[in-house]
Structure formats: C-alpha cells, structure tokens
C-alpha cells in the first residue's frame, strides 16, 4: 500500500540509503526483542488507561503486568463492547474505553447486526499507521532496487463518511488516513512519488476519481515502475474501467483537454498540471486497447512495471488468475496486513508466491495474543455463532513469541485506542519466525462464507436473507429444499450466486419476476457493507439465483462422500468453492435470475440521521 504523493523537492540533506538502513535496523531490533517490546507495549497501554471505566469495571486496579491482565480481563468480541461504543457515539466524552479523546470512529468492513462495526480511534494511531507504511519500501528495495527512480500508479479512493449523533466522524480507516496530514502533507520521499495527485484520490465522486487517476497514470506511463491498489478486486475494477472508457481517455490525451464529466475544479486543475496534448501516446493506447485480447495489458501500457502491489491473500486469492492474465504473470506483491482495529504487520519477503505470503507482526503496534484453534479439515459447514470463551479457553491464549510453528490461531489484540483482548476474527497460521517474531499466513476470516470486495457475509446472515426471500414462493406452494452459494468472480465485478433446489407442490407456474424479487430481497437483507458495494462502489454485481434440477443436492452429497465425507455427519455446505462441485451444480442449472435493481443503502448507521 502506498504513501502520500505530495512533496516534490528533494531536501539537500536527504539520504535514502541511510533512511532505508535505519528502517531495516528497526525491524531487526523489534523482531529480536519482540517479547520485551510486547511487555512494554502492554504496560504503556494499561498505565495510560488505568482509570478508564472499562478497566475499572473489570477490577484491574491499575495493574500493568501480564499475569494480572490475563487473569482479570475477559477475551471479548465486538458485541461485548457495543454498549460502550454506542455511548461514545451518542456523545459521552468520559474516559470509557480509552483515556485519550476518541478522535473518530473507523467503520470496519466486519459487521454486527447488519451494520458496520464502529472502532473508536485516537489521534496517535495515525502515527502508528504511518510507521507501518514507512517499513514497506525499504523492505521492497532489498528485492527490487531503483524504485525511487520512477513512479507508482496506485488506484486509491476515499469513501463517504457519516457523523454519529454525538458528532464524531465515522469513516473507513483508509479514508481517515488519506484525509490526514500524515498522508497529504508528508515530507519528501522518493517512494511516495505517485501518478495520482492527492486531489484525484480525495475526490468523493468515485467516477471522477477513477477517471482522473487513470488519465494521470496513462500520461505518465513510461515513468511507472509499479502498479497497485489496496485489494486485488480494486485493481481489477480499474482495468475494467479502462476497458470501458479508453476512448474517452485517449481523446483527452490527444487533445490535452479533460472530459466534461470531470467537473470537480480541484481535480481538473491537478490533472491539467500533468496532461499535455500527445497524439502519439493516444494512438499507442488506442492501438493496444483495441486489440482483441487484453492479455498483458498492464505490461503493454506500462512497460516498465516491475510488480503489481495488491493484497491477494485470504478471499482475494480468487483474483490471482485474472491478475496474472492482465499482467502477463508479473509478481503479485502483498505488502501488509492491517485492519480498522489496528495495523498488524508486513511481508518481509514480498516477492514470494502469493500462496506463501506471511506477515511478520510488528510488536510495537499493539499487544498481541493468540487463541489456538482446531479446524475440521478446513471445512466448516455448520452455522457458527461467536461463542464466549470459558475460563479454561481464556487461559489457552499465548503470547506473540510463544506461538508454535504450523499451529493455527485466532488473533486477539489489545490496542492503544481502547480494545482489550479483542478477537479480531482472523485465523492465522505460523509459517516461520523473523528473529523472535512469528510470521503468519493469513488463513481466513472466521465464519465468512462469501466475499467479493471488502464485503464479508457469514452463514447466519446468508441463512436469514434466504429465509426472507423464500416468502415470495409461498403463494406458489413451492419451498426451498436445499441451497448453497458461490462467490462468482469470473464476472467483473464479481457477484453472489445462490443455487436453489425447489420442491414444487402446486401447479401455478412461477413467473421470473418472482425469482427476481427473491434476488432483491436477499440483497436487501444482507449487511450494509454488501449493499454499499452494490450501490455506491459498484464493486459487486447483481445477485443471481440459479435454479437447479431436483436431485442435484443428492448428487452433491454423493460426490462429497466419494471424496471421503462421513455419511452420518454430512451437511450441505452453505458455500462452495471447489471447482468440480461448482461444475456439478452448473451442469444442472435449469434457469437463472438476477436482481433487477440495487438494494437500498445509506451512509451511516440505520439509527443515525445523516450528514453526508
Ligand atoms: P477492515 O477492518 O474493514 O479494515 O478489514 C480488516 C480485515 O481485512 C482483516 O481483519 C482481514 O480479515 C482482512 N485483511 C486485511 N489485510 C489483509 C491481508 N493482507 N490479507 C488477507 N486479509 C486481509
């Protein structure tokens, strides 16, 4: 993930080599002394927050040592602190979770009750996030030198924000970061030399933002040494945008003028500083974009690109084949692992294969603990609700330096901004160690069955949405015998597919519009992050229901049993990923229906009256 594209002048005393060296030394020191650093971090967090209501309530009594902390404080999920969060959102300024003033809420893509989770944050956290960003390029420089000699073309966006009833801003963590002075007014750094001017990133209108960033990227195509976005899905969306709009973009480059749909004056001004009439470049782009195949379009249009910087771990791995196609197999580089709760770690071996990516947690970011987990062959096919840990389970949590190679853990964090022993919901596996600090493969997000972009739909939500939708079938004496789902990323944007097997008792034919209503009802019932992706970001396509022949789910069971599933314990998986199973389902589809329009979505939370 990139840093701020601002400053242009190199100060006389600037020494890149020395700066890189210092940062690598910092990583050496932090990882060598991981346990001591963690101890200090916990002491700092607990002593500065000794008087907050939450710690007092649990009787920590100002103690700052690990044992007292572990014996006194419960391991929690969002639902446990939601009442405290709501009080803060409603304007209670007393030190509830954190002694420092809450500066804003970060709206997580994880949801609770269909709404985004609200993570309180404090001003200092911006510094910690900047620190993690500052580690990325010195690490990269060890593997790909010379990146200071050119530019990065990154597609970065802000999202809408809302105000809580108490007046605090609530927005996604990256929106908060890009709007902060840490990003906008950074001092000179050759690694923050980007093709997108700040104004294009900070433009609220997603079309204008994407168009202007693409235009600037094309104009400076020879200078581009690396390309990227935060997640793979975002980068693919940018390529799709180019596929749709290259004629307009070429026209602008040919004439040196900006299309009239770009109306934001600050965006126009920033782009005009870069755009020059260049008919030759326009001809070149036109020739490349009009070819039948878009294979290797990235290396063709940006010929000096060394790698694609996007997250392709976790559910984003579904986009690897598409990225390989567009980039002709350039390295896909995952640099960091972060969340709204806390920025966690960096990849110290960025040129490794996506399947081997591991993140080294940076011990200064927060106090980390790990809950050992056992999974059934990696397959979970029953509805799981977050369960409270009993005393024995709470005692099983281990510290950062005590995790075991090969073991899987759920990540638990204690942050500077008021989360104490908070279960993030991510499952990680220990892949190795950098000095004393473990390195983790990202395995999955607990319970999530479907994800296209930043949406995370769990099985309970899906079940609830399907239940609402099947009400449309009641007048036809039809019931849903079985269902499963699939995140289809062969379309751009990707979309959710539900496979439905019906049992029909009546004779009245079911009109296609009934199934379309079912699609829309499911979408209306899904969480706010999903609906935002559909409505606002257009990062998710219309939901599809595929009706399959009677007996299809029996065949699915037969297939699972042939692969070794136990007949007694077999339950229909509520989501499928394995290609032969998806093929089996697709071979038995009798009809398909799509959601006819977008579901409703508004910024902010249901209960807030909105600002933006
Ligand atoms: P949010 O709170 O909306 O910022 O989402 C944070 C979540 O995104 C994390 O808890 C992970 O589940 C996921 N995530 C972030 N970085 C990565 C990564 N590098 N690889 C896989 N998943 C990631």
């Amino acid at each position: 993930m990139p840093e701020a594209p601002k400053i242009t002048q190199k100060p006389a005393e600037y020494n890149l080599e020395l700066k890189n060296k210092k940062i690598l030394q910092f990583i050496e020191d932090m990882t060598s002394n991981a346990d001591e650093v963690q101890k200090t971090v916990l002491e700092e967090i607990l002593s500065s927050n000794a008087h907050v209501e939450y710690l007092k309530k649990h009787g920590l009594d100002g103690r700052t040592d690990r044992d007292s902390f572990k014996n006194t404080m419960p391991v929690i999920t969002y639902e446990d602190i939601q009442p405290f969060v709501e009080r803060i959102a409603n304007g209670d300024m007393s030190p509830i979770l954190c002694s420092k003033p809450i500066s804003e809420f970060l709206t997580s893509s994880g949801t609770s009750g269909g709404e985004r989770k609200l993570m309180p944050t404090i001003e200092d956290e911006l510094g910690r996030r900047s620190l993690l960003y500052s580690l990325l390029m010195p690490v990269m420089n060890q593997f790909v030198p010379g990146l200071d000699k050119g530019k990065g073309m990154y597609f970065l966006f802000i999202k809408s924000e809302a105000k809580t009833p108490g007046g605090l801003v609530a927005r996604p963590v990256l929106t908060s970061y890009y709007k902060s002075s840490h990003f906008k007014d950074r001092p000179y750094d050759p690694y923050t030399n980007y093709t997108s001017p700040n104004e294009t990133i900070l433009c609220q209108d997603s079309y204008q933002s994407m168009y202007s960033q693409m235009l600037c990227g094309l104009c400076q195509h020879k200078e581009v040494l690396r390309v990227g976005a935060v997640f793979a899905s975002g980068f693919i969306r940018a390529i799709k945008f180019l596929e749709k709009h290259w004629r307009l973009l070429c026209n602008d480059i040919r004439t040196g003028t900006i299309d009239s749909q770009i109306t934001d004056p600050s965006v126009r001004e920033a782009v005009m500083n870069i755009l020059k009439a260049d008919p030759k470049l326009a001809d070149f782009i036109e020739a490349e974009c009009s070819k039948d195949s878009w294979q290797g379009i990235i290396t063709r249009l940006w010929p000096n690109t060394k790698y694609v910087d996007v997250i392709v771990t976790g559910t984003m791995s579904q986009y690897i084949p598409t990225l390989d196609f567009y980039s002709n197999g350039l390295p896909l580089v995952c640099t960091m692992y972060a969340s709204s709760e806390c920025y966690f770690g960096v990849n110290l071996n960025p040129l490794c294969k996506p399947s081997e990516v591991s993140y080294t947690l940076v011990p200064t970011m927060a106090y980390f603990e790990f809950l050992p987990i056992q999974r059934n062959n990696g397959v979970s096919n029953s509805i799981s609700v977050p369960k409270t840990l009993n005393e024995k389970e709470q005692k099983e949590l281990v510290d950062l330096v005590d995790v075991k190679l090969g073991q899987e853990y759920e990540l638990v964090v204690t942050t500077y901004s008021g989360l104490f022993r908070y279960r993030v919901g991510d499952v990680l596996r220990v892949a190795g160690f950098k000095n004393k600090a473990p390195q983790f493969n990202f395995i999955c997000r607990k319970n999530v069955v479907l994800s296209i972009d930043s949406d995370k739909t769990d099985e309970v939500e899906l079940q609830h949405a399907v239940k609402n939708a099947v009400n449309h079938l009641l007048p036809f004496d039809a019931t849903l015998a079985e269902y499963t789902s699939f995140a289809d990323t062969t379309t751009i944007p990707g979309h959710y597919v539900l496979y439905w097997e019906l049992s029909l008792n009546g004779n009245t034919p079911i009109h296609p519009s009934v199934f379309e209503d079912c699609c829309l009802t499911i979408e209306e019932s899904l969480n706010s992050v999903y609906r935002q992706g559909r409505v606002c970001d257009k990062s998710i396509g219309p939901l599809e229901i595929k009706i399959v022949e009677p007996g299809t789910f029996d065949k699915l069971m037969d297939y699972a049993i042939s692969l070794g599933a136990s007949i007694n314990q077999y339950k229909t998986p509520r989501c499928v990923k394995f290609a032969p199973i998806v093929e089996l389902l697709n071979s038995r589809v009798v009809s398909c229906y799509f959601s006819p329009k977008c579901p409703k979505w508004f910024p902010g939370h249901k209960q807030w009256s909105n600002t933006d």
Side-chain angles (χ1 to χ4, degrees):
M1 235 180 287
E3 261 294 345
K6 186 96 186 220
I7 308 296
T8 44
Q9 289 309 309
K10 181 177 176 177
E13 74 285 8
Y14 196 86
N15 184 336
L16 182 65
E17 215 174 299
L18 185 68
K19 224 174 140 216
N20 286 347
K21 219 170 133 191
K22 276 190 181 160
I23 288 200
L24 296 179
Q25 190 57 49
F26 169 81
I27 295 174
E28 273 307 310
D29 294 345
M30 288 305 112
T31 52
S32 303
N33 301 305
D35 199 43
E36 294 80 352
V37 176
Q38 283 281 276
K39 185 168 171 272
T40 310
V41 165
L42 184 65
E43 279 168 7
E44 273 175 23
I45 294 175
L46 296 182
S47 57
S48 68
N49 290 305
H51 301 295
V52 306
E53 182 183 326
Y54 183 76
L55 291 186
K56 281 208 278 195
K57 174 177 164 262
H58 286 286
L60 196 61
D61 290 334
R63 288 169 294 168
T64 61
D65 62 291
R66 285 186 203 189
D67 283 348
S68 306
F69 177 67
K70 284 171 186 265
N71 290 329
T72 313
M73 299 303 295
V75 179
I76 55 154
T77 61
Y78 182 74
E79 284 66 29
D80 295 306
I81 50 162
Q82 199 163 14
F84 300 97
V85 167
E86 270 163 23
R87 275 173 52 206
I88 301 169
N90 288 328
D92 190 336
M93 313 257 282
S94 63
I96 299 175
L97 292 170
C98 184
S99 61
K100 298 223 164 116
I102 301 300
S103 51
E104 59 182 310
F105 281 107
L106 302 177
T107 55
S108 158
S109 59
T111 51
S112 170
E115 300 283 328
R116 283 173 177 270
K117 291 177 187 168
L118 294 173
M119 295 297 161
T121 191
I122 55 175
E123 200 64 36
D124 297 0
E125 280 298 294
L126 279 164
R128 261 180 284 276
R129 284 176 212 130
S130 295
L131 180 124
L132 199 118
Y133 285 126
S134 75
L135 310 182
L136 306 179
M137 290 311 289
V139 169
M140 197 68 212
N141 179 61
Q142 296 172 289
F143 302 90
V144 187
L147 292 171
D148 55 312
K149 307 285 187 301
K151 298 196 178 193
M153 179 179 71
Y154 286 87
F155 296 97
L156 305 175
F157 302 92
I158 57 162
K159 292 193 178 186
S160 63
E161 47 192 62
K163 268 220 169 102
T164 67
L168 286 170
V169 173
R171 55 191 175 185
V173 61
L174 290 175
T175 301
S176 159
Y177 187 72
Y178 299 148
K179 286 188 165 183
S180 76
S181 58
H182 289 255
F183 181 81
K184 289 194 295 185
D185 310 320
R186 272 180 57 87
Y188 171 84
D189 181 341
Y191 293 139
T192 63
N193 198 357
Y194 289 85
T195 55
S196 297
N198 279 355
E199 293 78 359
T200 62
I201 295 169
L202 296 174
C203 172
Q204 182 80 59
D205 180 295
S206 57
Y207 175 86
Q208 294 189 47
S209 178
M210 176 73 93
Y211 188 95
S212 54
Q213 294 193 52
M214 186 60 83
L215 186 56
C216 294
L218 288 168
C219 290
Q220 303 168 79
H221 76 133
K222 287 227 173 96
E223 293 164 69
V224 170
L225 300 183
R226 54 204 163 106
V227 300
V230 178
F231 289 111
S233 52
F235 189 73
I236 290 171
R237 206 156 59 242
I239 300 299
K240 203 69 197 167
F241 184 93
L242 178 63
E243 229 173 308
K244 213 163 152 193
H245 299 287
W246 60 264
R247 287 183 184 80
L248 272 184
L249 290 156
C250 283
N251 187 51
D252 288 0
I253 294 171
R254 192 177 308 285
T255 57
T257 56
I258 314 170
D259 187 62
S260 61
Q261 286 180 76
I262 308 306
T263 51
D264 185 320
S266 62
V267 172
R268 291 185 71 91
E269 196 187 326
V271 174
M272 280 319 286
N273 287 333
I274 292 168
L275 182 66
K276 305 270 166 316
D278 188 345
K280 254 190 166 160
L281 177 61
D283 286 346
F284 165 72
I285 298 169
E286 199 170 291
E288 290 302 335
C289 292
S290 9
K291 287 186 181 153
D292 283 344
S293 169
W294 268 47
Q295 180 165 9
I297 194 73
I298 294 168
T299 39
R300 288 196 264 138
L301 292 180
W302 294 279
N304 300 317
T305 308
K306 306 270 187 296
Y307 64 90
V308 183
D309 184 349
V310 283
I311 291 177
V312 285
T313 41
T315 54
M316 288 294 149
S317 62
Q318 61 199 352
Y319 295 104
I320 292 173
T322 312
L323 287 171
D324 282 342
F325 175 82
Y326 285 133
S327 73
N328 255 347
L330 280 177
L332 303 176
V333 168
C334 298
T335 56
M336 64 185 276
Y337 167 42
S339 79
S340 317
E341 291 89 342
C342 173
Y343 278 24
F344 303 121
V346 294
N347 178 0
L348 295 181
N349 186 17
L351 289 188
C352 70
K353 282 195 259 168
S355 57
E356 285 164 12
V357 170
S358 69
Y359 300 102
T360 306
L361 298 200
V362 178
T364 52
M365 300 304 290
Y367 179 64
F368 299 111
E369 292 176 276
F370 300 85
L371 176 64
I373 52 168
Q374 310 297 340
R375 295 190 305 144
N376 323 322
N377 302 327
V379 183
S380 154
N381 54 8
S382 62
I383 292 193
S384 29
V385 279
K387 80 177 177 68
T388 314
L389 299 184
N390 61 34
E391 225 171 276
K392 181 173 167 282
E393 288 168 320
Q394 304 227 11
K395 291 224 157 69
E396 287 174 0
L397 265 69
V398 297
D399 280 331
L400 184 67
V401 297
D402 296 328
V403 296
K404 300 271 173 292
L405 191 68
Q407 168 75 46
E408 288 184 7
Y409 297 92
E410 191 186 327
L411 178 62
V412 175
V413 289
T414 295
T415 65
Y416 284 89
S417 50
L419 298 176
F420 300 94
R421 310 196 89 192
Y422 178 91
R423 293 169 73 174
V424 175
D426 290 345
V427 178
L428 310 175
R429 185 194 297 133
V430 185
F433 289 84
K434 162 76 180 170
N435 298 322
K436 298 277 170 45
Q439 304 180 298
F440 294 94
N441 300 133
F442 182 91
I443 302 301
C444 64
R445 176 113 182 156
K446 267 188 107 179
N447 302 334
V448 168
V449 286
L450 289 168
S451 173
I452 294 289
D453 190 35
S454 56
D455 52 304
K456 300 173 173 69
T457 298
D458 69 33
E459 217 176 312
V460 179
E461 283 180 312
L462 183 65
Q463 171 104 327
H464 167 74
V466 168
K467 193 165 141 250
N468 288 345
V470 292
N471 286 333
H472 293 291
L473 302 179
L474 290 177
F476 303 91
D477 216 1
T479 52
L480 185 62
E482 275 294 7
Y483 76 93
T484 192
S485 64
F486 172 61
D488 185 349
T489 52
T490 56
T491 58
I492 301 177
H495 69 292
Y496 289 11
V497 175
L498 276 100
Y499 294 92
W500 278 17
E501 183 174 323
L502 300 178
S503 94
L504 299 166
N505 306 312
N507 296 321
T508 329
I510 307 176
H511 194 268
S513 66
V514 175
F515 289 116
E516 287 172 6
D517 288 346
C518 291
C519 293
L520 187 60
T521 300
I522 294 175
E523 295 201 301
E524 295 281 7
S525 311
L526 289 175
N527 63 60
S528 124
V529 182
Y530 174 88
R531 286 178 283 113
Q532 182 173 6
R534 280 281 286 126
V535 176
C536 188
D537 311 339
K538 311 261 183 274
S539 56
I540 307 173
L543 182 139
E544 182 180 13
I545 291 179
K546 292 185 174 180
I547 306 294
V548 294
E549 287 167 21
T552 300
F553 279 80
D554 284 343
K555 288 267 180 269
L556 196 77
M557 179 172 76
D558 294 345
Y559 187 73
I561 288 165
S562 77
L563 294 180
S566 147
I567 193 152
N568 291 322
Q569 289 168 331
Y570 179 80
K571 292 190 209 77
T572 304
R574 291 301 173 216
C575 177
V576 295
K577 293 186 175 75
F578 189 45
I581 293 198
V582 178
E583 267 167 42
L584 186 153
L585 288 164
N586 280 336
S587 69
R588 297 181 149 254
V589 170
V590 288
S591 53
C592 309
Y593 307 93
F594 285 93
S595 201
K597 58 180 185 186
C598 281
K600 291 187 205 75
W601 174 80
F602 305 98
H605 274 218
K606 254 191 310 231
Q607 61 273 35
W608 302 346
S609 58
N610 255 303
T611 54
D612 213 40

